[in-house]
């Protein structure tokens, strides 16, 4: 009989195999200082493009004041227990009401985490008789939720409406054949890697032809898209056709937690049946009060979103003008596509950090195919035009080095914490 632990230590996986050279630098880096567009990494000042702090709320003085006062007044323990048993408060319910109103839905329920929340929502909605149809480039939380689904699922090519309809037809035929169950469609408002919006308008248009319910994960659209910041559904004019609207507080709100909003009977069903919330401690009071303040600022200060978009469009235009491929993003998420291996990518990252003071996230194999590199830049309202110009210059110079082979190294540079 095999020893499970022995097997694990023989193969740490495609990323873990590099841990002895990468930990603390390329993986699990430690940024220090106040959260913002500039932070410290290994003692050096960096322009940071890796933080989901779109509206700059992480260090907003009103947010910091509310967080501190709530922690001093209530501590981190209150409320004690799960919401259903002893962990409910009027502040939790107030946050749910305000989120529902903001998203133009009847009701909403708080969730402790975005990732866990999405997995749990899929679980609570679907039985083994139901069929799930989902986008191929959905976030890992959706993929994991679908993998745990006991019934059938069909995946459609990313944002391909013709293939989406084909998979709907397959799902519909299966449901009719087994004489039971329904269809849940899952997609995203903004795909966090490529930055393109999900085709919500085209998907919802097919509701007149097929019977399905739509769940949208709008983690990156909430607070950044739409006239009021209500997200991709508002941006595309189809918010009323989204059956369940899901988002996290970890992006525009720079906090912890999540929510799902929809018709009151369905939210009530979720509230009384979602296992990850029934059997988990309630969100601590400082987070609830802090999120109320963040939501207030998001609604009352549209200039934060306006500045975010000004920075994002300046960055994206600058990259395109310099010949960079940023794909089809129509959100503030800014990918930069390049060619190269893992070793080249890490050497380039090291050059950007050590010699140009630019810190951004990089995606390589096995997340994407071999030979490809994606830099994902996350602009915020707190970045300056100087930050943008310095970053554009750094990318232009390091791209030239990449193209002429200066980053070709035999292995990942040894930059792990000693």
């Amino acid at each position: 009989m095999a020893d499970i632990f022995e097997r694990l230590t023989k193969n740490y996986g495609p990323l873990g195999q590099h841990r002895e050279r990468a930990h603390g630098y390329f993986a699990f880096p430690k940024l220090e200082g106040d959260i913002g567009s500039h932070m410290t990494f290994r003692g050096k000042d960096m322009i940071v493009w890796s933080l989901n702090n779109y509206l700059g709320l992480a260090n907003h003085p009103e947010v910091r004041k509310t967080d501190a006062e709530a922690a001093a007044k209530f501590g981190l323990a209150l409320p004690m227990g799960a919401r259903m048993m002893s962990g409910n408060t009027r502040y939790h319910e107030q946050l749910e009401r305000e989120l529902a109103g903001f998203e133009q839905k009847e009701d909403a329920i708080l969730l402790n985490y975005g990732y866990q929340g999405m997995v749990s929502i899929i679980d609570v909605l679907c039985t083994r008789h139901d069929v799930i149809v989902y986008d191929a480039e959905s976030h890992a939380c959706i993929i994991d939720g679908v993998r745990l689904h006991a019934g059938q699922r069909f995946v459609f090519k990313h944002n391909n409406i013709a293939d989406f309809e084909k998979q709907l037809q397959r799902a519909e035929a299966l449901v009719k054949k087994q004489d039971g169950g329904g269809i849940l469609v899952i997609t995203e408002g903004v795909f966090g890697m490529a930055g393109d919006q999900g085709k919500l308008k085209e998907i919802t248009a097919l509701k007149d032809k097929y019977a399905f319910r739509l769940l949208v994960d709008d983690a990156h659209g909430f607070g950044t898209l739409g006239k009021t910041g209500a997200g991709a559904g508002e941006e595309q004019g189809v918010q009323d056709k989204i059956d369940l609207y899901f988002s996290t507080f970890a992006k525009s709100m720079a906090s912890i937690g999540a929510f799902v909003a929809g018709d009151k009977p369905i939210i009530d069903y979720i509230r009384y049946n979602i296992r990850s919330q029934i059997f988990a401690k309630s969100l601590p009071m400082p987070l609830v009060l802090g999120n109320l303040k963040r939501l207030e600022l998001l609604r009352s200060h549209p200039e934060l979103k306006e500045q975010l978009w000004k920075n994002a469009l300046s960055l994206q235009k600058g990259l395109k003008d310099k010949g960079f491929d940023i794909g089809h993003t129509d959100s503030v998420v800014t990918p930069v596509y390049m060619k190269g291996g893992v070793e080249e990518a890490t050497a380039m990252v090291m050059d950007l950090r050590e010699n140009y003071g630019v810190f951004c996230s990089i995606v390589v194999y096995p997340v994407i195919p071999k030979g490809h590199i994606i830099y994902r830049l996350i602009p915020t309202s707190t970045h300056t035009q100087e930050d943008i110009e310095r970053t554009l210059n750094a990318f232009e110079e390091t791209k030239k080095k990449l193209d002429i082979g200066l980053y070709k190294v035999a292995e990942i540079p040894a930059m792990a914490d000693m």
Side-chain angles (χ1 to χ4, degrees), residues 55 57 60 62-63 98 102 222-223 227-230 253 291-306:
L55 302 179
L57 294 180
H60 191 286
E62 291 187 44
V63 166
E98 292 193 19
F102 183 59
F222 178 79
K227 182 179 179 180
T228 70
M253 302 246 280
N291 287 328
L292 277 166
K293 173 55 70 173
R294 288 162 169 83
L295 181 59
E296 174 195 325
L297 293 171
L298 189 156
R299 291 179 298 186
S300 61
H301 289 276
E303 69 274 11
L304 297 176
K305 180 165 70 73
E306 291 167 7

Side-chain angles (χ1 to χ4, degrees), residues 145-163:
V146 170
R147 287 169 63 187
L148 293 172
H149 173 50
Q152 292 291 320
R153 66 264 195 177
F154 298 109
V155 59
F156 62 94
K157 297 174 185 176
H158 176 54
N159 267 348
N160 186 317
I161 297 302
D163 192 48

Side-chain angles (χ1 to χ4, degrees), residues 73-241:
K73 182 176 181 179
F74 296 105
L76 285 171
L78 192 72
M80 203 68 209
R83 291 274 309 273
M84 183 177 283
M85 300 298 291
S86 57
N88 195 26
T89 74
R90 62 188 174 93
Y91 296 108
H92 287 71
E93 293 177 346
Q94 178 186 348
L95 181 54
E96 288 173 334
R97 287 194 303 271
E98 292 193 19
L99 286 164
F102 183 59
E103 292 301 334
Q104 303 168 48
K105 299 298 181 186
E106 291 180 357
D107 200 2
I109 178 174
L110 293 177
L111 307 163
N112 286 3
Y113 294 100
Y115 198 109
Q116 173 208 55
M118 178 54 71
V119 172
S120 303
I121 290 167
I122 295 171
D123 173 67
V124 76
L125 291 177
C126 298
T127 71
R128 63 185 179 87
H129 301 292
D130 299 315
V131 181
I132 295 174
V133 178
Y134 66 103
D135 190 287
E137 293 189 13
S138 293
H139 188 269
C141 64
I142 296 173
I143 301 299
D144 283 355
V146 170
R147 287 169 63 187
L148 293 172
H149 173 50
Q152 292 291 320
R153 66 264 195 177
F154 298 109
V155 59
F156 62 94
K157 297 174 185 176
H158 176 54
N159 267 348
N160 186 317
I161 297 302
D163 192 48
F164 169 62
E165 186 168 10
K166 177 182 176 181
Q167 302 312 318
L168 267 182
Q169 291 168 351
R170 294 179 68 193
E172 190 176 68
L174 180 59
V175 168
K176 289 179 179 178
K177 181 179 179 181
Q178 64 188 21
D179 194 26
I183 300 171
L184 177 67
V185 172
I186 310 175
T187 191
E188 299 194 39
V190 174
F191 289 86
M193 192 67 69
D196 53 337
Q197 294 180 44
K199 294 187 178 296
L200 306 184
K201 191 170 185 178
E202 293 85 346
I203 287 173
T204 55
L206 287 171
K207 278 190 160 192
D208 295 332
K209 189 175 180 181
Y210 301 95
F212 64 87
R213 294 293 185 175
L214 176 62
L215 167 61
V216 173
D217 177 349
D218 200 27
H220 292 273
F222 178 79
T224 69
L225 289 174
K227 182 179 179 180
T228 70
E234 182 182 55
E235 177 78 13
Q236 298 182 35
V238 294
Q239 183 71 356
D240 60 326
K241 296 182 180 179

Side-chain angles (χ1 to χ4, degrees), residues 241-370:
K241 296 182 180 179
I242 295 173
D243 296 296
L244 287 172
Y245 179 92
F246 169 93
S247 191
T248 173
F249 302 141
K251 305 295 190 290
S252 287
M253 302 246 280
S255 182
I256 296 175
F259 72 97
V260 62
D263 291 345
K264 182 171 176 51
I266 305 307
I267 297 301
D268 267 347
Y269 177 84
I270 294 173
R271 183 175 283 121
Y272 276 84
N273 292 277
I274 187 165
R275 292 171 62 83
S276 69
Q277 300 306 124
I278 292 173
F279 298 101
K281 187 180 183 298
S282 176
L283 271 178
M285 196 68 79
L287 289 174
V288 175
L289 293 176
N291 287 328
L292 277 166
K293 173 55 70 173
R294 288 162 169 83
L295 181 59
E296 174 195 325
L297 293 171
L298 189 156
R299 291 179 298 186
S300 61
H301 289 276
E303 69 274 11
L304 297 176
K305 180 165 70 73
E306 291 167 7
Q307 185 61 46
L308 164 67
W309 271 99
K310 180 181 178 181
N311 291 342
L313 292 175
S314 176
L315 176 66
Q316 292 173 4
K317 181 180 185 301
L319 287 165
K320 287 190 287 187
D321 287 349
K322 291 182 180 297
F324 286 96
D325 178 8
I326 66 169
H328 303 289
T329 181
D330 52 0
S331 71
V332 297
V333 177
T334 306
V336 184
Y337 298 91
M338 299 184 193
K339 300 283 188 180
V342 175
E343 293 79 12
E344 287 175 282
T346 52
M348 186 176 180
V349 165
M350 186 175 168
D351 193 11
L352 278 168
R353 293 179 184 176
E354 299 301 317
N355 299 313
Y356 296 91
V358 173
F359 190 105
C360 55
S361 298
I362 186 169
V363 184
V364 293
Y365 177 82
V367 180
I368 57 175
K370 286 184 177 180

